[in-house]
Amino acid sequence: MPIDFASDSDIRQGDVLRSFSDAGRDTDYGIVITADCDIAQKKSNNRITIVRAVPADHFVSHYWSVWELEKIAERQIRSLIPFVNGAIRRTELALDQLTAVGLRSWVISRSPEEIFRILDIRVDKYNKEYSSLVALSQWLSFANDVEKKDGFKCLKSVSQSLGRPESELRERVREALLTSGGFQDYLIVPNLPQSSHDGMAVLMGELVTVPVAEVHGSAYAARVCDADSGYVRFGRLADRVRFAIAQRISFVFSRIGMEENYEDDCRILADLVSSEVANAQN
């Protein structure tokens, strides 16, 4: 996918960069997206725009897994609210009906076992709602952890609590990495040259600008400049790949949300037309 090139060539759009510092951290990548003409004519104020990229395994554990956890948590909350509020009404507890925010606060401060005891429900580990509470508790513990070291580990635990087989999770990871079509907020780039990682994920929403002086054509050039941090170029993407990245970035930043009235009118229209079409067939 990326191709090697002479280290003394000019910086160009599509160049693959690897960050470095005195601390030895070199797990971040960047893709130059500044237009070649702007670089050549120095129209970018001696700065280069880079879209951030991370190793594919890091992407799965720190990005994709977190997104998946948030979606799963929202589904559990939607299903638990009527269950918990129904139990509150049945037991005539002096408690207000819980909202999503209230349920989150309750799960943070109490264990699933405590919540079931308060609701006067027998704890059954095979109970669907109990499993949902356990999964929600696991996610909230992770979400409130400032370090958030490994989202995939939490996702695996949540999936087990919900009774989902490990093969299903493995297949979802595989599908997430097969992103050749559509307009995802990321793009997987495999087969990196001169890299210990199997591939990287380009994060379309994470753009940074860096001084031209911090981008070096090679590790040797960085040493000559006595640079203690910056980016070292080690490859260049094929044109089709860099064009795809530019297209997806423009899509991410050109999404325009419509007013609520517009969305409501569209729903009314959809209901009306679907009913008319269905009735016309009778």
Side-chain angles (χ1 to χ4, degrees):
M1 182 82 67
I3 58 175
D4 287 318
F5 60 96
S7 61
D8 60 350
S9 62
D10 294 333
I11 297 291
R12 288 175 50 189
Q13 184 185 78
D15 283 355
V16 186
L17 312 176
R18 179 172 51 232
S19 66
F20 71 92
S21 68
D22 281 344
R25 181 169 176 264
D26 65 348
T27 57
D28 278 2
Y29 298 103
I31 310 296
V32 176
I33 61 170
T34 302
D36 292 345
C37 58
D38 288 343
I39 296 174
Q41 298 174 23
K42 299 183 179 179
K43 291 183 178 180
S44 56
N45 295 320
N46 288 321
R47 299 187 70 84
I48 292 177
T49 301
I50 296 171
V51 57
R52 185 166 176 254
V54 296
D57 55 351
H58 181 90
F59 167 75
V60 169
S61 61
H62 290 75
Y63 287 85
W64 178 82
S65 293
V66 175
W67 300 337
E68 286 292 298
L69 283 166
E70 290 171 349
K71 289 187 287 188
I72 291 174
E74 289 303 314
R75 288 196 293 268
Q76 305 316 308
I77 289 172
R78 283 198 300 270
S79 66
L80 282 170
I81 286 178
F83 169 77
V84 173
N85 284 334
I88 290 175
R89 288 192 297 270
R90 285 194 302 273
T91 55
E92 298 183 353
L93 293 172
L95 295 172
D96 294 330
Q97 295 288 288
L98 292 180
T99 62
V101 174
L103 179 61
R104 287 172 184 245
S105 299
W106 218 20
V107 175
I108 289 174
S109 60
R110 292 178 172 85
S111 68
E113 291 83 1
E114 288 179 291
I115 292 175
F116 262 50
R117 280 196 292 270
I118 292 172
L119 298 176
D120 196 23
I121 301 174
R122 184 173 64 87
V123 175
D124 182 354
K125 293 184 178 180
Y126 296 100
N127 179 282
K128 178 183 176 182
E129 285 75 18
Y130 179 80
S131 298
S132 292
L133 272 176
V134 172
L136 185 58
S137 177
Q138 291 169 328
W139 174 75
L140 287 170
S141 295
F142 171 79
N144 290 319
D145 182 0
V146 293
E147 294 186 5
K148 293 184 178 63
K149 292 181 179 179
D150 191 341
F152 185 76
K153 183 178 180 180
C154 179
L155 180 58
K156 188 175 181 180
S157 297
V158 166
S159 297
Q160 290 174 344
S161 297
L162 295 174
R164 297 174 179 174
E166 187 173 334
S167 58
E168 178 183 316
L169 178 57
R170 199 161 49 238
E171 182 59 26
R172 277 162 43 212
V173 172
R174 182 177 178 276
E175 290 176 359
L177 297 176
L178 295 175
T179 58
S180 57
F183 285 96
Q184 297 88 348
D185 292 344
Y186 61 92
L187 177 72
I188 302 299
V189 178
N191 306 324
L192 294 177
Q194 306 175 38
S195 172
S196 59
H197 299 289
D198 293 330
M200 65 180 177
V202 184
L203 308 172
M204 304 305 169
E206 298 195 18
L207 304 180
V208 296
T209 62
V210 298
V212 173
E214 292 186 8
V215 179
H216 307 278
S218 65
Y220 173 77
R223 288 194 297 272
V224 169
C225 295
D226 197 26
D228 55 9
S229 64
Y231 289 87
V232 170
R233 179 180 55 189
F234 70 97
R236 176 170 293 153
L237 296 176
D239 286 346
R240 185 176 295 273
V241 181
R242 69 183 178 95
F243 293 156
I245 290 174
Q247 181 187 45
R248 294 193 186 196
I249 289 174
S250 65
F251 179 81
V252 168
F253 287 96
S254 64
R255 293 174 183 170
I256 300 174
M258 303 301 287
E259 294 182 355
E260 187 174 346
N261 290 341
Y262 172 83
E263 302 290 350
D264 291 339
D265 290 342
C266 284
R267 280 190 286 270
I268 293 172
L269 176 64
D271 292 339
L272 179 62
V273 173
S274 60
S275 297
E276 290 179 349
V277 171
N279 291 332
Q281 301 302 316
N282 296 328

